[in-house]
Amino acid sequence: MKVFSSSYTFDYSWEEVSTANWNKYCPWNDKSTHVIGVDTLSREVDPATGILRTERLITCNQSAPAWVVALLGGSNTSHVYETSYVSPAEKRVTMCSTNLTWSNILRVRETVIYQPDLTASSPGHERTQFTQDAKITALCGGWQKIRTKIEEASIERFSENARRGREGFEAVLEMSRRVFGEEKEREKAGMK
C-alpha cells in the first residue's frame, strides 16, 4: 500500500469553497479535463443533523501506462464512486471516493476534507483548509514487484492529478467569486 497526503489553504471562505465544490468539474476548470462526466446518484438531508449526503459517479478519461494496459488490459475510461457529507453546523465538507474501474486489481480510497482555517483567517478574510489523503493498494497476489510498480505509477498519476485539480479548483473559486459578486452588485443596483 502507498499513501498520498496533501494539504493546502484556499484564500476563500468555507461558504465559497463548499458552494463552488459542486462545480469543481465545470468548464471554468481547464485543469481537470480528464473528468468527462459527473452524475448525481442520490442526495438527501438528514433531518436530525442537517448533514447533506450526496452520492455521485465520476467518469474520467485518461490513459493508463502502456505497460499496465499491455499486462492487464482495460480501457481509458474509468469510474469513481464518491460520497460526500456537508455539515453546515460544523462547517465541514468530507468527501470519500473509491475507484470502481479495475477495483479487482487496484484499490484507491481517497478522503478530502474542507473546513475553515481558523489559524490563518481574520475578520473579512476567511480561509479554508483542504486536506487530502489517499490509500492505493495493488491487489496482485504474490507478485510483489508488479504490485510495487502499479502502486508507484498510481501514486505518481494521483499526485499529478491532485496538483492539477487544486489549480483548476482555484480557477473555479475565482470565477465563482466574480460571478456571485456581479450578481450582488446587480441586486444592489436594482437591475435584476
Side-chain angles (χ1 to χ4, degrees):
M1 176 176 62
K2 300 285 184 197
V3 177
F4 172 85
S5 295
S6 73
S7 64
Y8 183 76
T9 302
F10 287 103
D11 203 19
Y12 296 86
S13 70
W14 180 84
E15 289 79 7
E16 290 174 292
V17 171
S18 62
T19 300
N21 181 56
W22 302 112
N23 293 314
K24 187 186 296 188
Y25 303 116
C26 72
W28 297 339
N29 183 345
D30 64 352
K31 302 290 185 181
S32 292
T33 56
H34 66 286
V35 177
I36 58 174
V38 179
D39 297 297
T40 300
L41 306 175
S42 72
R43 181 171 281 158
E44 61 188 14
V45 175
D46 182 320
T49 64
I51 293 174
L52 171 66
R53 181 181 187 277
T54 304
E55 296 177 61
R56 301 192 305 176
L57 178 67
I58 301 170
T59 305
C60 303
N61 190 15
Q62 60 184 6
S63 59
W67 66 268
V68 172
V69 174
L71 185 65
L72 305 172
S75 80
N76 290 338
T77 302
S78 60
H79 302 283
V80 175
Y81 174 75
E82 175 192 86
T83 305
S84 63
Y85 305 89
V86 179
S87 174
E90 296 176 345
K91 287 193 171 185
R92 182 180 175 109
V93 175
T94 304
M95 301 180 332
C96 306
S97 62
T98 187
N99 61 307
L100 298 176
T101 306
W102 287 5
S103 60
N104 60 327
I105 297 167
L106 182 71
R107 181 175 52 227
V108 181
R109 303 276 192 259
E110 176 189 22
T111 301
V112 167
I113 297 172
Y114 296 103
Q115 58 192 3
D117 184 343
L118 302 177
T119 63
S121 296
S122 60
H125 187 80
E126 297 174 18
R127 299 176 67 171
T128 301
Q129 182 65 40
F130 161 83
T131 57
Q132 177 182 36
D133 294 295
K135 294 179 178 143
I136 299 175
T137 307
L139 308 168
C140 302
W143 301 342
Q144 183 61 41
K145 284 188 177 190
I146 293 173
R147 187 169 51 232
T148 299
K149 274 290 210 192
I150 290 172
E151 289 174 352
E152 287 171 355
S154 299
I155 281 287
E156 187 177 314
R157 171 67 60 90
F158 195 94
S159 177
E160 177 61 23
N161 284 347
R163 182 189 61 74
R164 288 180 30 230
R166 190 172 52 248
E167 289 172 3
F169 191 41
E170 282 276 3
V172 171
L173 286 163
E174 182 180 332
M175 183 63 81
S176 294
R177 181 178 276 176
R178 192 172 87 220
V179 168
F180 283 127
E182 289 170 0
E183 184 61 25
K184 284 180 185 176
E185 289 301 315
R186 273 196 289 278
E187 286 179 6
K188 277 185 192 175
M191 296 173 41
K192 196 166 183 193

